[in-house]
């Protein structure tokens, strides 16, 4: 007797004729093998702060749970100090993580059901989390950056444009969301794609930079703002 293992997916749970046509002249036991549920992670994003702590957020399939990991020694070579599923989060994608340097609060944003962009905050390095709030209604694919002066710029794609919110140094909450516009006051139209935010560390103007996928264009472009995101000038 021989054992034959075939992939799942045949009609009625039985091997198809073409799968066993070569099995002639003997007695066989046929088992349909179902592959295991995937356990790999996707949509990973990381952040490393000025004290050497290393942070990672990623998505756990198939239900879109959000995994948070923190290592206190610059590299996860020796393992993570915190490795948890964030409570109550399902249907998540495109997470981002950063740390507010003054309060040491950990901020995580992600696209969730709605779709909306949600935000959760932790005041104990990610060991526990406040109840998530909606940061950008109707938004997706968030971005966040902490400036050199501890200001925070958040953003998300909402329809055909980007909405931003700015949190000044020392403020406990961000501004209301506002639309990303160019220097003429026109809304900057973008594709439904990820985008980047950053701030120049050696610039006295505290200039913000954004990398965008503009509607109708085949290459990304670079934009700058010197007024905390209120207006943007195209550079490239």
């Amino acid at each position: 007797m021989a054992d034959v293992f075939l992939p799942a997916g045949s009609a009625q749970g039985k091997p198809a004729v073409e799968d066993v046509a070569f099995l002639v002249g003997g007695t066989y036991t046929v088992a349909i093998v179902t592959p295991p549920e995937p356990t790999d992670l996707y949509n990973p994003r990381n952040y490393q702060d000025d004290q050497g702590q290393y942070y990672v957020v990623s998505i756990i399939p198939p239900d879109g749970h959000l995994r948070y990991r923190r290592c206190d020694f610059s590299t996860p070579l020796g393992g993570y100090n915190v490795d948890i599923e964030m409570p109550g989060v399902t249907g998540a994608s495109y997470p981002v993580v950063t740390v507010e340097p003054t309060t040491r609060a950990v901020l995580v944003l992600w696209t969730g059901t709605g779709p909306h962009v949600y935000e959760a905050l932790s005041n104990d390095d990610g060991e526990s989390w406040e109840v998530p709030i909606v940061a950008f209604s109707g938004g997706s694919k968030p971005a966040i950056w902490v400036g050199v002066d501890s200001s925070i710029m958040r953003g998300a794609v909402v329809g055909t444009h980007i909405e931003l919110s700015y949190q000044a140094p020392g403020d406990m909450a961000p501004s209301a969301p506002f639309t990303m516009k160019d220097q003429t006051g026109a809304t900057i139209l973008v594709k439904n794609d990820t985008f980047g935010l950053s701030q120049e560390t050696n610039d006295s103007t505290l200039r913000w930079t954004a990398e965008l996928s503009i509607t109708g264009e085949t290459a990304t472009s670079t934009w700058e703002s010197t007024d905390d995101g209120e207006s943007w000038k195209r550079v490239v």
Side-chain angles (χ1 to χ4, degrees), residues 174-198:
S175 69
F178 55 92
T179 299
M180 191 175 193
K181 297 183 178 182
D182 66 18
Q183 290 184 308
T184 70
T187 298
I188 301 173
L189 300 180
V190 298
K191 300 174 184 177
N192 185 17
D193 192 12
T194 57
F195 66 101
L197 293 172
S198 63

Side-chain angles (χ1 to χ4, degrees), residues 34-233:
T34 301
E37 190 70 38
T39 57
D40 51 272
L41 305 175
Y42 63 95
N43 283 172
R45 296 295 293 271
N46 63 344
Y47 179 80
Q48 193 157 22
D49 66 19
D50 58 359
Q51 299 187 21
Q53 288 181 306
Y54 182 73
Y55 307 82
V56 182
V57 287
S58 50
I59 302 301
I60 307 172
D63 297 322
H65 294 179
L66 188 53
R67 184 179 182 183
Y68 167 86
R69 290 172 284 173
R70 188 197 83 233
C71 173
D72 294 341
F73 304 103
S74 299
T75 172
L77 183 62
Y80 289 94
N81 298 87
V82 175
D83 186 345
I84 63 170
E85 285 188 35
M86 291 178 59
V89 178
T90 59
S93 62
Y94 297 102
V96 291
V97 59
T98 195
V99 175
E100 200 288 311
T102 303
T103 64
R104 306 296 304 163
V106 182
L107 300 171
V108 175
L109 282 77
W110 66 92
T111 305
T113 55
H116 305 298
V117 167
Y118 294 85
E119 177 177 329
L121 180 146
S122 172
N123 287 305
D124 55 9
D125 286 331
E127 297 191 25
S128 64
W129 295 86
E130 295 184 1
V131 176
I133 62 171
V134 174
F136 295 96
S137 180
S140 65
K141 302 178 177 63
I144 189 169
W145 190 270
V146 177
V148 295
D149 60 349
S150 297
S151 59
I152 304 174
M153 186 82 75
R154 299 165 172 83
V157 176
V158 181
T160 59
H161 65 277
I162 289 173
E163 290 190 3
L164 301 171
S165 66
Y166 176 75
Q167 186 169 339
D171 286 357
M172 298 305 294
S175 69
F178 55 92
T179 299
M180 191 175 193
K181 297 183 178 182
D182 66 18
Q183 290 184 308
T184 70
T187 298
I188 301 173
L189 300 180
V190 298
K191 300 174 184 177
N192 185 17
D193 192 12
T194 57
F195 66 101
L197 293 172
S198 63
Q199 190 187 66
E200 169 60 56
T201 58
N202 296 315
D203 184 9
S204 61
T205 65
L206 300 178
R207 181 178 67 246
W208 290 91
T209 304
E211 195 71 16
L212 308 179
S213 294
I214 299 297
T215 300
E217 298 184 5
T218 57
T220 62
S221 56
T222 306
W223 299 68
E224 293 180 349
S225 173
T226 56
D227 55 7
D228 299 329
E230 293 290 338
S231 64
W232 295 80
K233 177 183 178 181

